[in-house]
Amino acid sequence: MTTEERERAKNLYKHLRGLAWHALWSGEVARFNAGTREERTKGVAVIRAVGVVFAESGPAEQRAQVQEWLLDLLQDPSEKVRRYAMAAMPKIGAGAKEEKNLLSALRTTTEEREKKFLVRTLGRIGGPAALEQGLPVDAEQKVKASLAREEHPSAVRIHVVLADFQELRIHLRGRAGLERIVSDEVEQRNPGKFRVTEVRSGRVTIVPVAPFTLAEIYAMRCFGTAGFVLGHAEGANETESIEALATVMTSPLSRRLLQTFTEGSIRYRLNLVSKGHQRAVVSRLASRVYARCPEILNDARKVTWTIDIYPDGRGHLVELRPNMTPDPRFSYRQKDVPAASHPPLAACLARLAGRTGNEVIWDPFCGSGLELIESAMLGGVRSVYGTDRSAEAVGIAQINFAAAKVESVPAKFICGDFRDISRGRDPAAGTVTLIITNPPMGMRVPVANLRQLIEDLFGVAVTMLRPGGRLVFVNPLSMETPHASLKLQFRQKVDLGGFEARLEKYLKIVK
């Protein structure tokens, strides 16, 4: 196909994809059916568009007609038409009838490319009959994963105790710059369960010193993700690397962790960190893992585990990470606003702030309310206040705070500019013990004069904080406070995903 022909086909599909289901079916499909073999081969974009459009819309009886139409196309004299029909089937929905026809076509076709697409489609919609027929390893695994997903739904068992924990390492990963806070939380919350052994940029390594549960790991709130270290794999070439990775992924340690912490079928997805999605490598590796350990299934939907593969020196570091969506630590986050804090960052801000007891806390840019929620959860809070210029944000913060179920803490959320609020009565000037916030940084939310905004924040902090009060915030600028009564206690650069800001803590002193 020439470049011009590809562009024409692309534009045709784009046009067809935009049609309503009835216009597509009654007009374009009818025209396709009446065409010559050559016209139908050139017009296969219609089949692709039907697969997408009817996956999203159209009445049930019409979808049934589409399924019958696709089955009929499996008998079309054009191999390309048959191939496109196969690709569309899983989108519309397929069952035993479609499976039977695909298996029949697989037994009779002599074209290798068609066999390849038949096997691929059976891997997506096949069931017991396809397994009995016998499929290549990759397709067989996909069918087994699909059946397991339906018959034996999976869940992560967070309250099961792992007693055999010797020589196990766990990586707590998060934003670079927050390692000290993550490490301190481990040592303060779980001194009898976990010990910190190494701190690197974006990663804190801990080891268990007693039997533990996943719930005890997820009682800590400042890390981003937790992964069990399965091992290191090296290879002189791709084939050797894949074999080494498969060996690590099916090791006794990996099997013990998966079996202990999984309820239902054991299914995982592969994540080649920093390499993007390499379909061929993923397919080969998943096939080798399946060959070594058939009960561990690679899948793309509703998996309980992700196996992260990180480049590490001459080889790769392999980690096993539980998938829990939503994160059980932050289930209070019912809604969000643009540029809102990442929950672990909010938890780090709250932990950095510390506690003096009987706290009165104010977030001048409350957004979705995460900093206030995380602060309230630490205890010792008398009341919290949140302000934001966005009425939508204020509403969302109220919803999230209610979902956090910290009923013992009175909360008040006000729509308005923090500079105006500071001149009012709620909260009263000189009564606030902690100002904690992640202000807008001009990236996703426009700010006319960011430097002036931060200067105003410093000024308002001097007015609102009582002596001994703290200002804890993420500073997007390399600027110092002009107020001598604000004494810097902590500063650390933090990676916010493409740019750095400074996590800062100030104490209000009286000169």
Side-chain angles (χ1 to χ4, degrees), residues 48 101 447 494:
R48 183 184 175 194
N101 280 265
V447 178
V494 178

Coordinates of all heavy atoms in Angstrom, one line a residue, residues 48 101 447 494:
R48 N -13.9 -2.1 10.4 CA -13.2 -1.5 11.6 C -14.0 -0.5 12.4 O -14.2 -0.6 13.6 CB -11.8 -0.9 11.2 CG -11.0 -0.4 12.4 CD -9.8 0.3 11.9 NE -9.0 0.9 13.0 CZ -8.1 1.8 12.8 NH1 -7.7 2.2 11.6 NH2 -7.4 2.3 13.8
N101 N -17.1 -21.0 14.8 CA -16.8 -20.6 13.4 C -15.3 -20.3 13.2 O -14.7 -20.6 12.2 CB -17.6 -19.4 13.0 CG -19.0 -19.8 12.6 OD1 -19.3 -19.9 11.4 ND2 -19.9 -19.9 13.6
V447 N -1.5 31.3 36.7 CA -1.3 32.3 37.8 C -0.7 33.5 37.1 O 0.4 33.5 36.5 CB -0.3 31.7 38.8 CG1 -0.1 32.8 39.9 CG2 -0.9 30.5 39.5
V494 N 11.9 18.7 45.6 CA 11.1 17.5 45.3 C 10.7 17.5 43.8 O 10.4 18.5 43.2 CB 9.8 17.6 46.1 CG1 8.8 16.4 45.8 CG2 10.1 17.6 47.6

